[in-house]
Amino acid sequence: HAGGGWGYEGRAGGFLRRRAEADMDLEKYCREFMRRDRLGAHLGIEMGVEHGAIAATMTVAKHHLNGAGSVHGGAIFTLADIAFAAACNSAGQLALAVNTQLTFMKPAAEGTRLVARVRELARSRRLGHYTVEVSTAEGDRVAVFQGTAYVKTEAISPYFAG
């Protein structure tokens, strides 16, 4: 993939660092991305770098629970979607979801720390395809998210201003 951005574990394996806009490093990008994501902040989602790639985390609290007492599917989707959005936009171009799917594997209870890890499957000039695995901190898979993003020609930087 030509151009800027940060790589994710892909088909060839390993992590590849590409240049983000100007001198923005991945940690700074994650902080700025979450500063702008109001829903993520409201839900207690945090983002950082884990093994050279973006990882979003959330500890399941009472307000994340559904009527059955396990984490609400919408909370899991939001965690995965935020990680997906951060990955799609890290190349410096505005990218917006055009299709997503989430498959639930097992429930998670209150107090469980969930981690969403992104894998870029393919990216062209206009489309990016990603998988996000949501697991417990112990590594038990809770859900798998698949998403496709449309990559626009405009830069992401104006959205990070102010």
Side-chain angles (χ1 to χ4, degrees):
H1 161 299
W6 290 86
Y8 302 91
E9 187 175 358
R11 293 169 294 186
F15 296 96
L16 304 174
R17 179 178 174 175
R18 298 181 224 126
R19 278 192 64 78
E21 285 185 310
D23 60 352
M24 187 184 297
D25 68 5
L26 190 54
E27 285 284 353
K28 181 179 176 185
Y29 171 78
C30 289
R31 282 191 306 274
E32 184 61 18
F33 191 91
M34 287 310 298
R35 185 181 74 78
R36 303 287 300 169
D37 195 298
R38 292 166 190 89
L39 178 60
H42 179 72
L43 292 176
I45 294 172
E46 299 173 339
M47 191 177 312
V49 180
E50 180 181 279
H51 305 294
I54 292 171
T57 60
M58 177 181 75
T59 300
V60 178
K62 283 194 187 314
H63 64 273
H64 296 123
L65 301 179
N66 62 21
S70 62
V71 66
H72 194 288
I76 294 171
F77 182 89
T78 301
L79 175 65
D81 185 55
I82 286 173
F84 164 66
C88 294
N89 285 285
S90 70
Q93 287 177 270
L94 181 61
L96 303 168
V98 293
N99 187 46
T100 62
Q101 174 186 329
L102 183 67
T103 302
F104 299 104
M105 306 291 179
K106 69 180 283 187
E110 184 178 353
T112 303
R113 184 120 175 113
L114 298 177
V115 182
R117 294 178 181 91
V118 184
R119 186 165 54 115
E120 183 179 78
L121 302 176
R123 186 171 171 121
S124 67
R125 209 177 85 224
R126 289 287 165 246
L127 292 175
H129 303 278
Y130 300 81
T131 295
V132 181
E133 287 195 10
V134 179
S135 304
T136 64
E138 297 75 32
D140 296 325
R141 189 176 295 137
V142 173
V144 176
F145 171 106
Q146 294 182 336
T148 300
Y150 176 74
V151 181
K152 299 186 75 161
T153 56
E154 63 190 283
I156 190 78
S157 53
Y159 299 93
F160 276 46

